[in-house]
Each structure stands twice: as structure tokens, then as C-alpha cells.
Amino acid sequence: MSQRRAERGGAVWALVITSVAGFMAALDNLVVTTALPAIREDLGGALHDLEWTVSAYTLTFAVLLMTGAALGDRFGRRRLFLAGLGLFTAASAAAALAPGIDSLIAARAVQGVGAAVMMPLTLTLLTAAVPAERRGTAYGIWGAVNGLAVASGPLVGGGLTEHVSWQWIFWLNVPLGLALLPLARFRLAESYGTGAPLDITGTVLASGGLFGIVYGLIRGPVDGWTGAPVLTALFAGAALLAAFVLHGSRARAPMLPMRLFRSRAFSGINAASLLMFLGMFGSIFLLSQYMQGVLGYSPTEAGLRMLPWTGMPMLVAPIAGFLADRVGGRPVVATGLFLQAADLAWLASVITADASYAVQLPGLIAGGVGMALYFAPASALVMAGVTPEEQGIASGANNALREVGGALGIAVMASVFSAQGGYETPQTFVDGLRPAVAVGSAVVALAGLAALLIPARGRGAPAGDATGPVPAPAPLPAAEPLSR
């Protein structure tokens, strides 16, 4: 009885620790958006500097996500979780103390590194601590807490910025991190993976390629698209990403095996995820500034007005999950993506320098419902297209591609915005915002088309790839899951 009670207590502690850590990492994806006007006013900087305050985090987070999980498998998951949590906490303090925009961007990049090590290990540590029969409940609570972070990000950022200061969106992480460090050290059990070799080559190629592409997109409006630095960055980034694909096709134990993309289910849902985050994240980046800089809402008011969009998934996700179980994941995901595309198209058509919130509200609600319809079945579709041994890699790849889409979305949308408008007057901001959001709508519509490539579910089949997962070639060793 005492042993069972101890196991239950360890599971509860693991759930609390990993949920709070996941909340911190997820919150920092969107918490900055409503603080951007205040950061710009306080630290200065142009549009491309504001882009980097968001992209520096999402880019390092995305690129190192799978590497962080592999490091935990090799050197100890609790040990690396503590290292990632400590780095994230220290970088949060550095961001709060940043004297200028460049130091803030550097601190955000280090935050992303810490989150990339910490975040994927939250699920592996939770899985190790919770009995198999209770994992579904534990995963549901963990996912709900992370969803709450995404939904509340703009509101938390706006409230702290308005009523305290923008620095507190980063100070918030410090007491949480300091409280979690001793709890994680003494309440989490250590665990290891198989000790598979790290894919250093793949990490370097992916990191360099993505940095080159994002750097070129961000600097293009500033330096000119035909300038040597911009063209060099774009071509070098594309070449490195091509080399990454080639490496994933030929290496013995690559970070991302390209054979996984032979599954239509895996390819379709990952393409949809990348494009959805590209269109939506870039639009949120600009629309949160529009609500404050053009319509005159306070940061808190802007965060509240974003809630129908960012918070709707918390309400609709259970219904979306039920629908996915009944009719399959493909139609639910595709419907959600087309709803989001319609939302952005509506906003692009009604945005003016004095647009009322009532005019925007139908689009925001439709976008929130669409996000819920996408998120609920997406994970199941990712897992359905691969073998059980590769589900950890598949999950890590999907999360990484989402973050990459977010970083690219901010760069692409801001480039369109800069080409057509600017910050000079409310009207010039609207002149740039409308085509940028229209591009976002088109990109999310492409995501919906990508979702239609997923095979339909056969009668009695799971809500994934009717053709089944692609088996791993026999000579390759089974990969240890990076996250569950």
C-alpha cells in the first residue's frame, strides 16, 4: 500500500512539474505579441527587430527540439530537463534586464535553446512516472495546460505590459523556474533511452539552412531583395536545407528520416501543419499590433479581443475530437483549415483604420473554431502514418515543423507588410496589413489542400493513413522515441 501511494505521489508530482514547465515554454510563443508596441517604444528598433524578438525564440526552439530530446535519451532525461529549465529561467531574467533590442533578441534565442531541451522531455518524464492505465488522463491534463498557455498568451502579455511593464512577461518565468528546479531534482526519477548517436550533421544543416532563409526574408525589405547579403543568405539556406533532405535520405540514423514522408498521412499532416502555422502565426504577429497601434486598444484590451481566436480551441476541442472519432481525422482537419483561411480572408476584407470590433468578431470566432478542428485530430494523424518505434521521432518532427512554420510566417508576412505599408500612419499600417493577411489566408488554404492528401479512413480503420505506416528498412535499428 505504501509503495502504491508513493508511486501515485510521484505521478502527481511529475504531472505538476512537467505541466508547469510546458506552460512556461508554450506561453513564450505568443506572450510577446501584445507587448511588441511597448517594447518598440521602450527599446527602439525597426520592424525587422520586432520580428527577431519572436523569431529568435521560435527558430532555435524548432531547430533544436529533436536534438534536445535525443540529448536527454543519451545523458539522462531528468539531468537534461534540469539543464534546459535552468537555461530557460536564466535567459528569461536576461530578457527582462535587456538594455537594448539586440540583447533582448540574444536572450530570446537562448530562451529557445532552453525550451528545446526542456519541452520534449516533459512528456518522456511524465510517461515514465505515470502508470500506463492513467497516461491518457495525464496527457489530457498536460495538453490542456499547454493549450491554456497558448490561449492566454496575448492576454497575459497585454495585462502585464499595461499594468506592470513589458519586462514582467519575462520575469514571470523566473520564480516559476526557481521553484521547479529543486522539485524536479528531488521528485522526478532519472531515465535514459538507448543511447543512439546524435545526428550532429543533421542539426548543423537544419540550423544553418533555416537561419539563412529566415535571415534573408527578414532583411530583404531592409537591404533590398537583390542585395548580396540577402541573396547569399537565401541561396545558402536553400542549399543547406537541400543537403539536410539528402542527409536524411542516406544517413544511418538521421535526426529526421526522409523515408517517413513516403506515408501520405505523415506527409499530408506535416505539410498542413507547416503551412497552417506559417499563415496563422504571421497574421497574429501583425494583427496584435494593429489592434493597439491603429485601433487604439490598450494591451489588455487587445489580448481580450484576441481570445475568441486563441481561446476557442479550449472549448471546441472535445467536440472536434468526437467528430474525428466518428468520421476520421482528414475531413475534420481540412474543414478546420478552410475555416481559418476564411477567417483571414474576412479580416483582410474588413480591416480599416477605424474598423469596429463587431465587424472583426465573426472572423475571429471562425478562426478559433478552425484551430480547434485542426488541433484535436492532428496528433493522431501524425502517429497513424508511422511505425510505433518511430512515433517519438514523428511527434518531434511535427512539433519542429510547426515552430519552423511560425518563424517563417512572421518573416514572410512582415516582408509583405513592409513592401506595401509601414508604421508611419494608421492608414499606411492598414495598407501593409491587408495584403499580408490575404497572403496568410492563401497559405492556410494551401494547408487545407495538403490535408486532403491524407488518405481517407476505411471502414473500421483508425483515423489515420488507410494505407498503413511505412515500415522502417530492416538494416536500420529501431529508433528510441524522442517524445511521447
Side-chain angles (χ1 to χ4, degrees), residues 80-93:
L80 264 294
F81 175 80
L82 288 168
L85 177 60
L87 185 62
F88 182 86
T89 303
S92 297

Side-chain angles (χ1 to χ4, degrees), residues 290-298 301:
Y290 163 74
M291 286 189 171
Q292 295 179 64
V294 176
L295 299 184
Y297 296 127
S298 71
E301 291 171 338

Side-chain angles (χ1 to χ4, degrees), residues 5-21 81 122 125-131 138 141-142 179-189:
R5 189 180 295 113
E7 290 176 353
R8 188 181 299 122
V12 171
W13 276 113
L15 179 59
V16 171
I17 293 166
T18 57
S19 294
V20 174
F81 175 80
T122 57
L125 288 165
L126 184 61
T127 300
V130 178
I141 295 172
W142 181 91
L180 287 183
L181 283 168
L183 289 176
R185 172 64 181 83
F186 295 108
R187 296 292 183 176
L188 295 178

